């Protein structure tokens, strides 16, 4: 849902404007990130919220004084598990102090605990929590994000989750998308095989609420044959395939996912070296989740090797109440720069254009170019500070379709009528 705007806006005198090397790109392979410009400039936005020109305009209705600021495209979080209910802070403390996961799980923790919380929480409370978190994300520069089901763990629960995600779209200024993570954990009373039968049965209805299917491929969840089946189901329903793969174990999911032309493969901390080349040469994006790796003390994905091999590398929060209760893309950028050895341009490309590509929105979002929706983030300093001042929020103001949807109090003076 984009708010209506009725004024033209000119962003004046920015110290840096992040621009792609050419217009009309669906994605940019990360090897080319160095071609992104971060030069001084301005931007003019039309009264219907589109980018009109890559220069300021004197007679615009509203002027944004961007002196000293970096102007970026709105950040895109292409992997979140919103909406969910409640938190699992106690479980996090148990985990980091050495309680084995099996014991946490036996006591009702893990995904089952989030499934129970979702089941017991009324719709309006689930939406209220998700809306509040979307507000936090706006203040952190996120103007588009993905929602996933996956805590339903029953046919009714998954469908309810997707409908709640659709309901959330009406409550928040951001662009949202819906992914049916219909194979997240094997619900009790099912085997992985019989649950996939249930997925197949719910799909005609689920497909009305989602544009993408997702599956958690792991020794404790679903196997390669289930990934193969999900790929076939996605194609049959004209949905895109994404998958959580190679997070803890090297499963060799990549060749199967590539066969099904997956839009992205997410996690990849344990990817087999032989699978890096084929993934990097494909149009399947490598979505890396350094927040989940950090919070779970997991292996670090071979980001540099993927980039050097030509991959479309993307970063996201994996925001969820269990393994990554992180909603800050600036923090994710900082973690990626430090832990993966990414440059600022590589990391920013991974949370803008390439993330929009994963959500199939790069025709309208993800870069500053004429004709695109004017989703913009004004930082209070140069872009290099995002990673450097780790953990600090550098966002002075966030704009959706040209309209300010978050303005930090100390930046209010920057936005003024002519
Ligand atoms: Zn996830």
């Amino acid at each position: 849902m984009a708010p209506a705007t009725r004024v033209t806006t000119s962003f004046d005198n920015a110290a840096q404007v992040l621009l792609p090397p050419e217009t009309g790109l669906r994605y940019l392979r990360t090897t080319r990130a160095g071609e992104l410009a971060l030069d001084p400039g301005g931007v003019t936005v039309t009264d219907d919220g589109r980018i009109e020109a890559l220069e300021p305009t004197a007679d615009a209705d509203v002027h944004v004084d961007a002196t000293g600021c970096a102007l970026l495209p709105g950040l895109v979080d292409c992997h979140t598990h919103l909406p969910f209910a409640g938190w699992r802070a106690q479980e996090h403390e148990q985990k980091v102090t050495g309680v084995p996961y099996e014991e946490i799980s036996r006591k009702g923790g893990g995904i089952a605990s989030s499934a129970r919380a979702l089941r017991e929480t009324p719709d309006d409370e689930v939406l209220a929590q998700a809306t509040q978190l979307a507000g936090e994300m706006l203040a952190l520069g996120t103007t588009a994000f993905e929602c996933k089901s996956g805590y339903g763990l029953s046919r009714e629960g998954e469908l309810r989750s997707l409908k709640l995600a659709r309901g959330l779209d009406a409550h928040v200024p951001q662009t949202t998308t819906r992914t049916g993570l219909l194979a997240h954990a094997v619900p009790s009373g099912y085997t992985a095989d019989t649950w996939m039968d249930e997925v197949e049965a719910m799909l005609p209805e689920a497909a009305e609420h989602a544009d993408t299917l997702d599956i958690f491929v792991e020794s404790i969840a679903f196997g390669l044959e289930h990934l193969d089946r999900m790929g076939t189901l996605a194609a049959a329903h004209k949905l895109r395939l994404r998958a959580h793969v190679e997070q803890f174990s090297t499963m060799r999911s990549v060749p199967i996912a590539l066969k099904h032309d997956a839009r992205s493969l997410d996690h990849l901390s344990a990817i087999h070296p032989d699978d890096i080349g084929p993934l990097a040469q494909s149009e399947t994006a490598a979505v890396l989740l350094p927040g989940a790796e950090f919070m779970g003390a997991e292996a670090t994905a071979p980001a540099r090797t993927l980039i050097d091999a030509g991959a479309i590398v993307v970063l996201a929060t994996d925001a969820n109440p269990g393994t990554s209760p992180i909603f800050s893309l600036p923090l994710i950028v900082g973690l990626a720069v430090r832990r993966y050895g990414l440059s600022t341009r590589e990391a920013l490309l991974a949370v803008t254009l390439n993330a929009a590509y994963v959500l199939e929105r790069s025709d309208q979002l993800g870069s500053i170019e004429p004709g695109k929706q004017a989703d913009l983030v004004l930082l209070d300093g140069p872009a290099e500070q995002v990673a450097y001042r780790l953990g600090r929020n550098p966002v002075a103001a966030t704009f959706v379709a040209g309209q300010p949807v978050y303005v930090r109090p100390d930046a209010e003076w920057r936005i003024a009528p002519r």
Side-chain angles (χ1 to χ4, degrees), residues 1 16 28 30 47 97 118 135 146 164 201 212 224 273 321 345 357:
M1 180 192 73
Q16 296 173 322
L28 185 65
T30 311
D47 60 3
T97 53
L118 184 64
E146 182 220 30
L164 283 168
T212 305
L224 299 184
R345 282 173 173 79
Y357 165 70

Side-chain angles (χ1 to χ4, degrees), residues 1-74:
M1 180 192 73
T5 55
R6 274 169 240 91
V7 293
T8 55
T9 306
S10 178
F11 292 80
D12 305 335
N13 198 33
Q16 296 173 322
V17 181
L18 185 72
L19 298 178
E22 52 196 270
T23 58
L25 292 168
R26 292 169 68 219
Y27 59 79
L28 185 65
R29 293 197 183 270
T30 311
T31 39
R32 293 185 58 194
E35 298 175 37
L36 289 167
L38 266 175
D39 297 327
V43 170
T44 299
V45 175
T46 60
D47 60 3
D48 65 347
R50 306 256 139 214
I51 293 165
E52 183 172 40
L54 303 183
E55 56 189 12
T57 306
D59 63 358
D61 300 314
V62 171
H63 284 265
V64 177
D65 184 339
T67 305
C69 297
L71 187 63
L72 309 180

Side-chain angles (χ1 to χ4, degrees), residues 79 81 148 244 267 318:
H79 185 142
H81 291 258
K148 285 189 205 288
H244 290 66
H267 283 292
D318 194 14

